[in-house]
Amino acid sequence: MPKAATPSARPALRRNQACLSCRKRKLKCDASRPHCGTCVKQWQSLISVPPPVGYAHPTEPQCSYDPVEGLPMAPNADPSERIRMLEDQIAQLKSQLNESRSYNSRSASPSRHAQLARNGHHFASTSSVNGRSPDGSPTGGGIILPHASLDVLSQLSPDSTDSHPRGSTSSPEMRQGMQQHIPDPLMDVLFSGWDPDLPDPDTLDHYIEVFFKCDPCGSRVLHKPSFLASMHLHPKDENYPHPAILHAICASASRWTTQDIITLPDGTRRDKFADLHVSKTRAYIDRTMATGQDIFPVMQACIILSWYFYQEGRWVEVWIFAGFQTRAAIPLRLNYPGTFSAIGAASPGAYLAPPKDLKDLESRRRTWWMTVMFDRIASVGGWVHGIDERDIGTELPLRRIDFDVEASLANLPSNPQYISTDKVFTQHPPQYTDAFILFLKATMLFGRVTDYNTRSNLRASMPPSKNQNPFVLPGFEELDRLVGQDFLQSFPSELKHLGVSDDGSALDTDLYMAHVVPHAATITLHNPYLNFSDPRSMSTSRCVNATRSILAAYYRLSETSLDITRLHPFVTICWYLAAVVQTQLCKYFIEIGDTAREQTIWGEINALRFAMLTYGTRSPIGTRQERLLQGLMTEIVRMTSQMQPLEVGVPLYPFSHAGVFPKEAIPRDHPGAPLPDSSQYPEASESPTGMTGLGGSLTSASSPGSWNSPTIRSTRPYSHSVSSKYQQ
């Protein structure tokens, strides 16, 4: 039989009921409070012996227990246990606050969320742009972490009386427990879903405003009114902008706002603020490449980031991102009419659902066409395009004014023109034509020139000869007529000007680009056949006339006080192409000994150089193209008799924002222009205009006096009125 329990036997203790000291030393414990019998006996034995010199016995037994939920811990508890308990309490508070925020985000109005975001979030990010703390002291890594300012406690809640602090919770117990330790606005910052890597809401709004105002590239893919409205939603709302887009906007807008720029010994500039947001955007892109999650908004962020890389002249990343965008757009079916194909939509893959509304449809169209445009611009150095023109079935986008006004979308059918539409480059329906559409068509026309040159030389045994007549080649004459004449002459009458206002106070960058890009395409098409020794060379006449037009457009802009750094970055490639032709012409004048006209050409070359350098003060692509041009000019600098050829004819415009630098215009690069050997100029291998195999050395002239022929005389460099001042 089991032994009967005696009345004096102690009941067995439950698990973890013994004190921490006895449990650690594996001793019997009676769990008496506040101190167990074992700890009391040990303490009494300890104090019975006099303490050594410099040592004092504890005033009470070192006995503590696991904390009971709802009761504070004893002050003499183990520090590690205190830390663990505090972490558990913080985790519990986080969970409660997240549940509360999630509930309120569905029930509160957007204006309430906007007010909460603006009044409850206190970051130190007003200085996160320039890497300094609010007191002006520099931070360690240039990245400012969010923190609550000291005046938080004095601010009041917008929906409570003056006696309650701002953002106080509706729970009196929680308010009383947190009032002395953690201010509610700080909890709003940490637990409301706001990305701590983003600037504070007010600063972020400023970056978004600058982005839409100044960026001529990535801003095309976003619907500005709805985007600004979504910024007033709670950060956890499903309609709130994707963080990848916000980080990409910060990187792009930093070009016009940030001052935290470091110049490395090799001349490369690094923007710490932009680099932070570039890395955050790329993290989202990498995750999407692995999982396919949020692929469409991340693709839009990728487009914004790609144009940032292009303006920075980071060519390797430009080509990589161009390939990613074109390949990602295909499984999304953005190349189909209506940006959606019902055929195969149920098959496995990251296909998009049909557009929710007309705004979503137009946003997809613009995302697709900006992807195609970037592919064309990144390939002008002679690269094969990532998307063939025959695989594009998406209709052209609507006008910008119709896209911004949502009411217009409902009343206007889709654009009836496709890239495959007959006479798409010479017929422009007024209801579906604006400066951006013309710029898009000009870029696609440039892409046709790139395709023609690339496919013509793909299997050729030798490069094109300057002595051959290219007009006998299949398709050359039709393409030349379309690029050099028909497209520009078909512009609507109200869009035939350069886009510069009469008083010089405003500039339509897209329209300016639409006028200049065809001339850059003409130079690209004819440059392999440029021959100054042949007075009847049509290719020479075409290149000189195109160069004259680019210079005339530049001079028109330089007469104003407009900021040329606001131009599309493609403009630096157009300046480079014009300068390449002028460099060859300068070499010809040096060889025939025509010093007067050589000096005129030097002035025009330097005007284009300084335009690139001025653009390079904000976008490194200008500096990189000017450096590439200097490598190309090495031979004529050595041959010339001018004392200081690189300082000849620099125009001075006192009213210009850049001092001695003029202001200029738009388009881009070519595959056939004579380029320096990449082994001589290290940066040439990185630039899309500096690839090897795309052109030979500067053309030599063997027939002195041939430039005076009637065929060429009408386009001599000093025929333009503005150019005469260089000769003087």
Side-chain angles (χ1 to χ4, degrees):
M1 292 181 63
K3 187 177 180 180
T6 61
S8 60
R10 292 180 302 177
L13 298 179
R14 295 192 301 273
R15 182 178 180 81
N16 293 339
Q17 192 175 3
C19 73
L20 298 176
S21 179
C22 293
R23 194 187 314 166
K24 182 177 181 181
R25 301 170 64 181
K26 298 183 179 180
L27 300 176
K28 292 184 178 180
C29 181
D30 57 7
S32 298
R33 304 296 178 113
H35 308 298
C36 70
T38 303
C39 291
V40 170
K41 291 178 182 179
Q42 290 180 350
W43 175 70
Q44 290 174 347
S45 300
L46 179 64
I47 63 176
S48 63
V49 179
V53 178
Y55 177 81
H57 289 312
T59 58
E60 61 181 8
Q62 300 297 309
C63 181
S64 60
Y65 293 87
D66 286 332
V68 179
E69 184 177 358
L71 296 179
M73 296 183 64
N76 58 347
D78 186 13
S80 61
E81 289 297 324
R82 292 180 61 85
I83 292 175
R84 185 181 65 81
M85 280 304 303
L86 290 174
E87 289 177 347
D88 293 342
Q89 292 177 5
I90 290 175
Q92 185 179 4
L93 289 175
K94 283 183 179 180
S95 177
Q96 294 176 359
L97 284 171
N98 284 334
E99 293 177 0
S100 176
R101 301 277 183 249
S102 178
Y103 175 80
N104 292 335
S105 66
R106 302 299 177 184
S107 59
S109 62
S111 60
R112 166 61 180 154
H113 289 308
Q115 196 172 20
L116 173 64
R118 272 71 181 167
N119 297 333
H121 294 176
H122 294 273
F123 288 67
S125 64
T126 50
S127 59
S128 64
V129 180
N130 53 21
R132 291 188 171 271
S133 60
D135 58 358
S137 60
T139 59
I143 304 174
I144 305 300
L145 296 178
H147 67 275
S149 57
L150 296 178
D151 59 349
V152 167
L153 296 177
S154 62
Q155 298 181 356
L156 302 178
S157 175
D159 56 353
S160 62
T161 62
D162 293 346
S163 60
H164 297 289
R166 175 187 296 275
S168 58
T169 178
S170 57
S171 172
E173 295 79 11
M174 186 175 296
R175 185 189 309 130
Q176 182 178 2
M178 297 175 58
Q179 192 169 10
Q180 298 177 356
H181 301 283
I182 304 178
D184 278 353
L186 178 58
M187 303 301 290
D188 289 339
V189 170
L190 297 178
F191 307 134
S192 66
W194 185 264
D195 187 349
D197 294 317
L198 288 171
D200 66 275
D202 290 333
T203 305
L204 180 59
D205 288 344
H206 172 67
Y207 282 129
I208 293 173
E209 179 184 357
V210 170
F211 171 74
F212 280 109
K213 181 179 180 181
C214 301
D215 188 273
C217 308
S219 60
R220 308 297 187 189
V221 302
L222 301 177
H223 184 247
K224 181 179 178 181
S226 62
F227 186 86
L228 296 179
S230 65
M231 287 300 299
H232 294 285
L233 300 175
H234 192 275
K236 287 189 174 181
D237 194 290
E238 60 182 6
N239 295 319
Y240 192 78
H242 196 280
I245 296 178
L246 298 179
H247 285 294
I249 287 177
C250 288
S252 177
S254 66
R255 188 179 313 280
W256 296 277
T257 56
T258 186
Q259 301 297 325
D260 190 18
I261 298 177
I262 300 176
T263 303
L264 301 180
D266 60 352
T268 306
R269 300 184 311 163
R270 299 307 300 264
D271 185 340
K272 295 168 63 178
F273 176 79
D275 288 344
L276 166 66
H277 293 285
V278 166
S279 64
K280 296 299 179 182
T281 308
R282 298 191 70 161
Y284 282 105
I285 295 174
D286 293 341
R287 186 190 69 176
T288 299
M289 292 175 66
T291 64
Q293 183 179 1
D294 301 329
I295 188 169
F296 183 70
V298 171
M299 182 177 176
Q300 290 182 317
C302 182
I303 292 175
I304 299 173
L305 189 62
S306 299
W307 284 112
Y308 169 81
F309 288 143
Y310 184 80
Q311 291 176 310
E312 291 288 311
R314 294 160 63 166
W315 303 125
V316 174
E317 290 163 302
V318 166
W319 293 320
I320 291 175
F321 273 68
F324 168 73
Q325 291 170 205
T326 54
R327 298 314 303 163
I330 298 302
L332 297 183
R333 306 299 176 97
L334 297 180
N335 61 320
Y336 281 78
T339 67
F340 177 77
S341 173
I343 302 176
S347 60
Y351 301 139
L352 294 178
K356 296 179 295 185
D357 48 31
L358 296 175
K359 179 183 65 178
D360 186 26
L361 170 61
E362 184 62 19
S363 179
R364 293 188 185 186
R365 283 198 197 109
R366 287 180 169 264
T367 300
W368 164 256
W369 281 111
M370 287 304 297
T371 298
V372 175
M373 177 182 288
F374 188 79
D375 176 54
R376 262 50 184 176
I377 289 179
S379 304
V380 296
W383 299 97
V384 177
H385 293 143
I387 301 176
D388 192 283
E389 190 175 296
R390 294 169 295 183
D391 299 327
I392 301 176
T394 311
E395 55 275 290
L396 293 177
L398 300 176
R399 298 180 302 175
R400 182 62 182 265
I401 187 174
D402 296 325
F403 180 46
D404 289 341
V405 181
E406 199 163 352
S408 301
L409 292 175
N411 301 323
L412 190 65
S414 299
N415 196 321
Q417 287 193 325
Y418 300 80
I419 197 63
S420 58
T421 302
D422 187 31
K423 298 182 179 180
V424 66
F425 293 107
T426 56
Q427 293 182 356
H428 315 288
Q431 262 189 312
Y432 300 95
T433 301
D434 63 359
F436 174 72
I437 303 300
L438 292 178
F439 176 33
L440 174 60
K441 290 182 178 181
T443 305
M444 297 301 297
L445 199 56
F446 205 133
R448 286 194 176 183
V449 173
T450 303
D451 284 338
Y452 183 87
N453 288 343
T454 303
R455 291 167 181 168
S456 299
N457 300 327
L458 185 61
R459 296 178 178 86
S461 57
M462 58 177 51
S465 172
K466 64 179 181 180
N467 296 318
Q468 72 179 102
N469 181 14
F471 287 89
V472 301
L473 300 176
F476 186 92
E477 184 175 0
E478 293 78 4
L479 185 58
D480 168 69
R481 186 186 309 111
L482 180 61
V483 174
Q485 300 177 18
D486 295 348
F487 176 64
L488 287 172
Q489 293 176 358
S490 67
F491 279 20
S493 57
E494 65 275 10
L495 298 176
K496 285 186 176 294
H497 59 91
L498 280 175
V500 182
S501 60
D502 295 335
D503 58 356
S505 61
L507 171 67
D508 188 335
T509 300
D510 289 335
L511 186 56
Y512 196 92
M513 288 290 292
H515 279 273
V516 179
V517 168
H519 299 302
T522 298
I523 296 175
T524 300
L525 182 63
H526 286 276
N527 192 79
Y529 313 102
L530 192 63
N531 186 5
F532 290 106
S533 63
D534 183 6
R536 294 168 298 180
S537 172
M538 289 300 298
S539 292
T540 302
S541 178
R542 291 282 198 273
C543 288
V544 173
N545 284 329
T547 301
R548 296 287 95 224
S549 299
I550 293 176
L551 280 168
Y554 168 73
Y555 293 140
R556 173 67 185 95
L557 191 59
S558 65
E559 295 169 357
T560 69
S561 58
L562 295 170
D563 184 1
I564 69 172
T565 60
R566 298 287 182 88
L567 293 170
H568 196 284
F570 195 19
V571 68
T572 59
I573 308 301
C574 294
W575 294 336
Y576 174 82
L577 290 175
V580 165
V581 175
Q582 293 300 86
T583 300
Q584 297 175 86
L585 184 59
C586 183
K587 183 175 184 289
Y588 171 77
F589 285 146
I590 293 174
E591 290 176 341
I592 66 175
D594 194 335
T595 307
R597 282 188 286 185
E598 177 200 343
Q599 185 177 9
T600 301
I601 298 301
W602 273 116
E604 294 174 343
I605 292 175
N606 289 331
L608 294 173
R609 284 182 53 240
F610 286 122
M612 297 179 199
L613 291 174
T614 304
Y615 198 92
T617 59
R618 181 160 289 167
S619 299
I621 184 177
T623 306
R624 289 177 178 268
Q625 290 304 119
E626 194 275 338
R627 191 179 307 169
L628 185 62
L629 179 63
Q630 280 203 29
L632 186 62
M633 294 166 55
T634 303
E635 184 179 5
I636 62 174
V637 170
R638 188 188 71 250
M639 295 171 57
T640 185
S641 60
Q642 301 289 333
M643 297 299 297
Q644 294 179 322
L646 299 181
E647 298 180 6
V648 174
V650 180
L652 179 62
Y653 301 101
F655 50 82
S656 171
H657 82 288
V660 300
F661 298 120
K663 315 212 170 300
E664 158 143 335
I666 302 174
R668 224 247 187 199
D669 186 43
H670 75 307
L675 301 171
D677 186 357
S678 61
S679 62
Q680 300 176 6
Y681 315 111
E683 289 222 24
S685 61
E686 300 179 1
S687 171
T689 57
M691 308 309 296
T692 58
L694 300 184
S697 60
L698 296 180
T699 306
S700 301
S702 58
S703 177
S706 61
W707 180 254
N708 292 325
S709 65
T711 307
I712 308 297
R713 185 179 295 113
S714 61
T715 59
R716 61 178 53 178
Y718 54 83
S719 61
H720 194 277
S721 59
V722 183
S723 303
S724 61
K725 60 184 175 184
Y726 297 135
Q727 197 173 25
Q728 298 172 4

